[in-house]
Amino acid sequence: MTNRNGWIDPNTYVSGDLNIDDSQEYNVELRFVGANWTDELKATVTQCADFLSKVIVGDLPDATYLGRPVDDVTIDCSIKTMDGPGRELGRGTMGALRSSALPISGKLVLDSADVERWRQLGLLGNVVLHEMLHAIGFGHLWAPLGLVANQWTSNPTFVGVYANAAHPSASNIFVEGSGPAGTKLIHWRESSYGNELMTGWIGSTNHLAYWTIASLRDLGYQVVAEEDYEPPAFLK
């Protein structure tokens, strides 16, 4: 298969390295749905997809979604009315799954009431990457794969071996045990990790720790080695 990197049409983008064949890397096919997408907003989303192609380094088995071939994953992206300003900023969900449980498809929705504010703050890329990680399984696959211990208590923890090996603490990584259904048990604990990107609440500055990348290996992805990991430059 030849590399399909870049724009297939004005509303479809495939991430990846032009010098690497699609069969040797992880490609995210973005499909921009609706008329609310400016070139600047599309660029923010494609930047996040290209980052995932750098940190997930192994190809997945080809699959089919709605009768179309999928190399690794297809994510439908839209900007819609959700719940008004300053509440839920976006949502990343999985769609069809492989037998390995890794997604074939997903959806990324941004709240139209929040997009412009977070763009002006320079934080929209943070929101998009957070939701894109959910769309490829972060948080959503934890319970099905048995990666959360004590989930019915006030002290749930993440027991994935790769994330915990990369984490500096001797204890298991803390999972968010409070908040609404879209936050609880699918994020790192806000009170423990503050501005780590994958807690349930965005900060004015955010970082993406390598142990979050390592947690994707616990889901079944091949990921970049810690010594080769470069955090996304667009995080703020």
Side-chain angles (χ1 to χ4, degrees):
M1 178 184 292
T2 57
N3 192 285
R4 297 176 291 128
N5 174 270
W7 293 96
I8 298 172
D9 62 51
N11 294 309
T12 305
Y13 178 86
V14 178
S15 68
D17 187 332
L18 282 171
N19 298 311
I20 301 175
D21 192 271
D22 284 352
S23 64
Q24 302 298 316
E25 69 171 351
Y26 183 77
N27 302 101
V28 181
E29 180 180 356
L30 302 171
R31 300 198 299 180
F32 293 94
V33 180
N36 297 322
W37 291 100
T38 65
D39 288 346
E40 182 182 358
L41 294 178
K42 286 181 180 179
T44 297
V45 181
T46 61
Q47 192 176 29
C48 294
D50 282 328
F51 171 74
L52 290 187
S53 289
K54 291 179 181 178
V55 296
I56 299 176
V57 296
D59 186 63
L60 298 180
D62 291 350
T64 301
Y65 172 63
L66 298 179
R68 298 175 64 252
V70 177
D71 176 30
D72 293 301
V73 68
T74 294
I75 300 178
D76 290 341
C77 306
S78 57
I79 300 172
K80 297 181 178 180
T81 300
M82 292 175 62
D83 60 0
R87 301 173 74 181
E88 188 176 12
L89 307 180
R91 187 178 303 150
T93 57
M94 302 185 302
L97 303 178
R98 292 173 169 79
S99 58
S100 65
L102 294 180
I104 299 168
S105 65
K107 291 185 178 182
L108 187 154
V109 181
L110 299 176
D111 192 337
S112 59
D114 291 304
V115 166
E116 180 57 21
R117 179 189 177 207
W118 293 99
R119 186 195 68 81
Q120 290 181 7
L121 290 172
L123 290 167
L124 186 60
N126 301 28
V127 175
V128 170
L129 181 56
H130 178 105
E131 302 303 344
M132 197 174 287
L133 283 164
H134 282 313
I136 67 167
F138 181 95
H140 296 308
L141 286 175
W142 291 354
L145 294 178
L147 293 172
V148 179
N150 306 313
Q151 59 180 309
W152 307 120
T153 74
S154 60
N155 191 38
T157 57
F158 186 79
V159 296
V161 295
Y162 296 111
N164 278 287
H167 192 267
S169 172
S171 63
N172 286 332
I173 300 169
F174 297 119
V175 170
E176 185 60 64
S178 61
T183 300
K184 185 177 180 180
L185 297 177
I186 63 169
H187 294 91
W188 305 137
R189 190 176 302 173
E190 177 75 18
S191 61
S192 299
Y193 307 117
N195 288 344
E196 214 289 330
L197 184 68
M198 297 312 293
T199 63
W201 291 268
I202 191 169
S204 57
T205 59
N206 302 278
H207 68 278
L208 187 62
Y210 179 74
W211 45 271
T212 293
I213 302 303
S215 76
L216 300 178
R217 188 177 178 188
D218 290 305
L219 304 184
Y221 293 102
Q222 292 177 257
V223 301
V224 67
E226 184 168 11
E227 59 268 25
D228 297 323
Y229 172 59
E230 295 183 12
F234 58 83
L235 283 191
K236 176 180 177 181

